[in-house]
Amino acid sequence: MQHLQQLADKRAGEERILAAAISAELSEAEKEFAATARRLNEQYSLQVRTLENEFAAAQQTAAVAYEDSVRQSDSAFKSALKANDAQRDAALAAAEHQAEEAQWQANTVYEAHKNQPQQLLDEATKRLQSRRRIAEGLERDAHTLLTMRGQLKAAAEYDWRADPSTAPSEAELASQPAAAEDRLAAVLNHLKQGVLDLQDQKLASLFIEGGRWTAWLAGITAAACIVGGLVGNLSILGWIIGAVVGAIIGFVVVAVALPRGRRRSLQQFGRLQRWLEESRQFEQTALDEAKAHSDRLAHENTRRRDHDVASARTQLAAKTAEAQTAHASEQTRLEAEHAARLAEF
């Protein structure tokens, strides 16, 4: 029993020792745990503070970088917008300058040619007036020749339109030019030659002008009288017979030459009248053509000016619309790129 008691006491002593050791170990472990916990807490707190500081620094750095990126992006966006505006303004200014240059050129050309139609008309009028004076001078020459031949009254009563001999020849009709002024010049040439032909008519100039037929009659009579006197041995009968025969021959010559010369003179005067009438017609036609040509030139000059000015304005509107469209398209692209870049940030 004692032995059991001893064993029990021993076991109790061992248990106390073991409990004391365990208690000491637990106390030591608790101390180590507390120290380790404090160390871990301190390390954790330090790491937390470090991470928080690093996060705050990174967040601040990111915020600064974001603000810098946004600022740079905004600056680049504004610069691109300004460049786009400047490009549009330059295109508009160039288009306006080109349009103004084209309009100035059109107006300059118009002003340079504005008086040309009237100048051409004045020149044509002066040429026609000069040719009219030539025709009037030739008409006076023809009347002078008829006055010398004593045929003014017969010429006034003469209906040259009813005389087929005054009609234009086939060669004259075939050689007529197309333009009225050229035809007037050709008629004046015919008129000049006609007056010369009228002047050079042999029968009219030898028998009619100045009453020369009387001189011819007297001359032929005198010549026949002399011949008769010589043939009749200077007898009175020979002189009388010679004079009678000479008078008969003279009357026959005058009777043949005088009407023929007068007829040819009137026929030539009829041709001159026809050419004079044609010259007046062609003069009026040439003047009408000159006026029509002047009006066409003036209208064409005005039409060309208006067309060039309208074309310049049309081109200006087209280039303005093109510049505005390109500007709007580029601005839309820049805004989309800027929004996408901000979204990336």
Side-chain angles (χ1 to χ4, degrees):
M1 195 67 172
Q2 291 180 351
H3 182 67
L4 291 171
Q5 186 66 35
Q6 290 177 352
L7 288 174
D9 293 336
K10 183 179 179 180
R11 184 176 178 180
E14 289 178 354
E15 288 179 354
R16 285 194 299 274
I17 293 172
L18 181 59
I22 290 171
S23 177
E25 289 179 357
L26 287 174
S27 177
E28 187 67 24
E30 289 177 355
K31 291 179 180 179
E32 289 180 359
F33 176 76
T36 301
R38 283 194 302 273
R39 186 178 70 252
L40 291 174
N41 286 330
E42 291 176 356
Q43 290 178 354
Y44 174 74
S45 297
L46 179 61
Q47 288 179 355
V48 168
R49 285 195 302 272
T50 301
L51 290 175
E52 289 177 350
N53 292 333
E54 289 179 354
F55 176 74
Q59 190 176 16
Q60 184 177 4
T61 301
V64 172
Y66 173 77
E67 291 176 357
D68 291 339
S69 298
V70 171
R71 187 166 51 253
Q72 291 177 1
S73 179
D74 289 339
S75 177
F77 176 66
K78 291 178 181 179
S79 298
L81 288 179
K82 289 181 179 179
N84 188 29
D85 293 341
Q87 184 177 2
R88 178 203 55 190
D89 295 339
L92 292 177
E96 290 177 356
H97 176 73
Q98 186 175 0
E100 291 175 355
E101 184 72 17
Q103 293 181 16
W104 175 83
Q105 185 175 0
N107 289 322
T108 302
V109 172
Y110 172 77
E111 291 296 331
H113 295 83
K114 180 175 65 176
N115 297 325
Q116 183 181 11
Q118 186 61 40
Q119 292 175 355
L120 293 176
L121 179 59
D122 293 341
E123 292 174 359
T125 303
K126 290 179 181 179
R127 289 196 306 271
L128 294 175
Q129 289 175 349
S130 175
R131 290 172 175 170
R132 184 195 309 159
R133 288 191 292 270
I134 293 174
E136 290 173 350
L138 293 172
E139 185 179 12
R140 285 193 299 270
D141 293 340
H143 280 92
T144 301
L145 290 173
L146 290 179
T147 302
M148 294 172 60
R149 297 173 185 179
Q151 292 184 277
L152 276 180
K153 184 177 179 180
E157 297 175 353
Y158 173 61
D159 186 7
W160 57 270
R161 294 181 178 85
D163 192 348
S165 63
T166 63
S169 62
E170 294 181 359
E172 183 180 347
L173 293 174
S175 61
Q176 284 186 350
E181 192 169 355
D182 295 336
R183 297 178 72 177
L184 174 60
V187 167
L188 288 179
N189 291 330
H190 290 307
L191 191 59
K192 292 177 184 177
Q193 187 61 43
V195 173
L196 293 176
D197 293 340
L198 180 63
Q199 182 181 359
D200 294 339
Q201 284 182 338
K202 299 302 182 182
L203 292 177
S205 61
L206 292 176
F207 287 90
I208 302 175
E209 292 181 6
R212 293 175 183 173
W213 64 272
T214 57
W216 278 94
L217 180 61
I220 294 173
T221 302
C225 181
I226 293 172
V227 172
L230 293 176
V231 172
N233 294 322
L234 301 179
S235 63
I236 295 176
L237 183 60
W239 290 102
I240 293 174
I241 293 174
V244 172
V245 173
I248 293 171
I249 295 173
F251 275 115
V252 171
V253 171
V254 170
V256 172
L258 197 61
R260 184 174 297 180
R262 287 175 177 173
R263 185 173 62 254
R264 291 180 179 177
S265 180
L266 288 177
Q267 288 175 347
Q268 185 63 22
F269 181 75
R271 297 187 188 95
L272 295 177
Q273 288 296 105
R274 177 175 61 82
W275 287 326
L276 285 170
E277 184 177 84
E278 289 180 354
S279 70
R280 297 186 186 97
Q281 293 175 355
F282 292 153
E283 178 187 353
Q284 185 61 42
T285 304
L287 182 60
D288 294 340
E289 289 181 355
K291 290 180 180 178
H293 180 63
S294 176
D295 293 339
R296 284 195 303 271
L297 285 179
H299 177 71
E300 179 63 22
N301 193 20
T302 303
R303 187 200 63 78
R304 188 186 306 112
R305 189 271 312 270
D306 295 341
H307 174 270
D308 293 342
V309 170
S311 177
R313 291 175 179 173
T314 301
Q315 291 181 2
L316 174 61
K319 291 183 178 180
T320 300
E322 181 181 358
Q324 294 289 3
T325 301
H327 174 266
S329 177
E330 181 66 15
Q331 184 170 353
T332 301
R333 187 186 66 82
L334 292 174
E335 290 175 352
E337 290 181 354
H338 181 63
R341 192 176 298 112
L342 291 179
E344 291 177 356
F345 297 154

